Amino acid sequence: MNDTSTAAYRLLSLTALSGECSPDILSRLGIGPSYGEKLVTKLKDEGLLKTHYKDRLRGYRLACGGKKLLLAQNPERFSFYLSGNTETNHPRSGYPRRLRLQQASHIYAMLLNAGITFFRDEKPLIFREEPQAGESVRMPLPIFYHSREVKELGTEAVKIGNSRIMGILFAPGCIYALFHTGTAPIKWEYQTELRVKTFLSHHISRGILSRGSIEPCYHPDTPIRLLFIGSGMDTALKLMESTGGFQKSYFCLDSSFDYFHYVPDDAAGETTLRLLCSPALQKALRSLLLSDLEPPCPDYGLEHDAVSEGMPVLLAFDFDMLRLSRFRTALSFHGLAGNLVCFDFQKPVLQQYFGDAAAIETIDLYKFERRFLH
């Protein structure tokens, strides 16, 4: 398999990085059901891939032949994942751990389709190597590091060892702590996840992410945002309405982060992810949307982006759940009706969440992609 651009190679690559690949990834890689079945059968026959089925959860794992092939072709990219007694080299059979591995495969597929760097041979290993004096590391932003890569810092990374974080996404002008929540709110411990933000803030101010260590550099006041990836937009509603469940052990909107963005685990989410990683793209879209609106009115006493026919307007295309929650609460408190501007795929959930409190105008996702991404 010399051609690394094939669907087969992409499937083997994501399986190597995640440890166990979800079968749903085939469609995300542009592989149809009929061809996907033939492809998986072929890879199995060649001793490159195998199916693991337990607890009604099916997944793909690399066979010995697949590991040898990838290591022989690109050891710099795959040795971290396919060497030693690591979870990706020897995946465990417990359901929660397998589900986390499969969620990682979903994240890698999204990153791949969104054009975000994550292969180890294409990025600086900033959590393992320190630049020499007077030398800075060039970061090809946006760029993603899995939580296992962050742990290469050693004892210092123990501070966030119990976090549910899947990895860190570095974008121009901000940093995202990335989580995969599946179909429901994930287990959540406020102090543990707050340490993630503290950990990143430390390294921005005087650690490996501080000025002089990387280029482009992050300033001490760089926003650290939380980014949830979940199964469909319905999960966003569950997150926003969650009160933490029994003994408050599950997620609810809190103050651990200042921003809580949500993107669905699908093609629409990939477009949103590209938008969140591009300040220039966000600025262009905001300028376009605000061009026909009046400026914000300080007399309203609530956070908003513009005014339309006397109603406060909130631009909600970035789906910051904490900002949406504050807007809904403020509208109720002040007895006002509001207006939201979002993508068309986000509208049904926002209608349920706001009810009659806000009118909703939508951005056609397809037209946005044609205008800004092609």
Side-chain angles (χ1 to χ4, degrees):
M1 189 180 296
N2 296 321
D3 187 356
T4 59
S5 65
T6 63
Y9 188 84
R10 292 197 299 273
L11 176 58
L12 292 176
S13 296
L14 297 193
T15 305
L17 269 61
S18 59
E20 180 171 321
C21 196
S22 166
D24 296 335
I25 293 304
L26 293 175
S27 62
R28 303 294 294 280
L29 297 178
I31 304 172
S34 178
Y35 176 63
E37 186 176 341
K38 294 177 182 177
L39 176 63
V40 170
T41 300
K42 181 175 181 292
L43 293 175
K44 287 181 180 179
D45 291 343
E46 294 176 353
L48 303 177
L49 197 71
K50 59 185 179 182
T51 298
H52 186 80
Y53 185 79
K54 185 181 178 182
D55 299 326
R56 296 190 293 182
L57 181 65
R58 184 182 303 276
Y60 301 133
R61 296 182 175 183
L62 289 182
C64 290
K67 295 179 181 181
K68 292 178 181 178
L69 173 69
L70 295 178
L71 286 171
Q73 288 190 338
N74 196 336
E76 188 179 359
R77 175 174 293 188
F78 296 110
S79 60
F80 176 77
Y81 307 97
L82 300 178
S83 301
N85 191 30
T86 60
E87 197 163 41
T88 48
N89 191 33
H90 296 290
R92 301 182 186 181
S93 295
Y95 183 87
R97 289 186 176 274
R98 289 186 59 213
L99 185 61
R100 184 173 171 84
L101 295 180
Q102 292 201 17
Q103 288 174 343
S105 73
H106 279 265
I107 289 173
Y108 284 127
M110 285 193 73
L111 298 172
L112 182 68
N113 292 338
I116 296 172
T117 302
F118 60 89
F119 286 120
R120 283 174 70 84
D121 59 318
E122 297 177 346
K123 64 186 181 185
L125 306 181
I126 59 173
F127 295 101
R128 190 184 70 181
E129 303 169 352
E130 290 191 14
Q132 298 180 357
E135 181 185 28
S136 62
V137 172
R138 188 73 186 173
M139 298 272 282
L141 302 178
I143 185 171
F144 175 78
Y145 293 85
H146 190 273
S147 58
R148 276 194 60 227
E149 296 179 285
V150 178
K151 291 176 183 177
E152 289 188 284
L153 274 175
T155 54
E156 190 176 348
V158 172
K159 301 172 184 176
I160 60 171
N162 293 326
S163 170
R164 307 288 295 182
I165 190 172
M166 297 294 287
I168 300 171
L169 175 58
F170 295 98
C174 72
I175 298 173
Y176 294 100
L178 196 153
F179 295 75
H180 199 296
T181 187
T183 60
I186 62 173
K187 287 192 174 181
W188 189 261
E189 206 283 309
Y190 172 81
Q191 291 295 338
T192 299
E193 305 309 341
L194 181 61
R195 283 197 289 270
V196 173
K197 182 181 176 182
T198 304
F199 170 84
L200 290 171
S201 296
H202 163 76
H203 282 290
I204 290 172
S205 300
R206 52 189 179 275
I208 60 174
L209 302 173
S210 59
R211 296 184 185 182
S213 298
I214 64 170
E215 184 66 35
C217 66
Y218 285 102
H219 298 279
D221 58 351
T222 297
I224 299 172
R225 303 167 178 258
L226 184 144
L227 175 59
F228 270 125
I229 294 175
S231 300
M233 287 303 300
D234 288 343
T235 302
L237 184 63
K238 296 177 184 177
L239 293 174
M240 289 190 290
E241 294 183 338
S242 173
T243 58
F246 180 65
Q247 295 184 336
K248 304 294 182 181
S249 58
Y250 288 87
F251 173 80
C252 64
L253 287 171
D254 56 34
S255 58
S256 54
F257 289 82
D258 298 323
Y259 308 86
F260 287 81
H261 299 280
Y262 180 89
V263 298
D265 185 4
D266 55 26
E270 291 163 5
T271 296
T272 311
L273 187 59
R274 293 177 65 179
L275 178 61
L276 291 175
C277 289
S278 174
L281 200 55
Q282 292 180 57
K283 182 179 179 181
L285 180 57
R286 286 180 63 89
S287 297
L288 178 63
L289 296 174
L290 295 175
S291 61
D292 294 330
L293 300 174
E294 302 170 36
C297 177
D299 294 338
Y300 286 146
L302 78 167
E303 180 182 8
H304 60 294
D305 298 303
V307 172
S308 175
E309 299 180 355
M311 293 192 300
V313 178
L314 192 77
L315 301 185
F317 58 80
D318 63 353
F319 216 92
D320 179 357
M321 296 185 292
L322 193 57
R323 194 166 187 244
L324 289 165
S325 175
R326 289 198 302 264
F327 190 60
R328 187 178 75 161
T329 300
L331 289 176
S332 176
F333 179 79
H334 292 284
L336 295 173
N339 200 329
L340 297 168
V341 182
C342 65
F343 284 115
D344 46 13
F345 71 90
Q346 298 167 334
K347 180 178 179 178
V349 163
L350 290 177
Q351 280 183 321
Q352 293 182 68
Y353 186 63
F354 279 85
D356 296 332
I360 301 176
E361 297 181 24
T362 61
I363 309 160
D364 187 297
L365 183 68
Y366 176 71
K367 290 182 179 178
F368 167 78
E369 292 171 337
R370 295 237 1 221
R371 176 165 182 167
F372 290 97
L373 301 180
H374 297 297

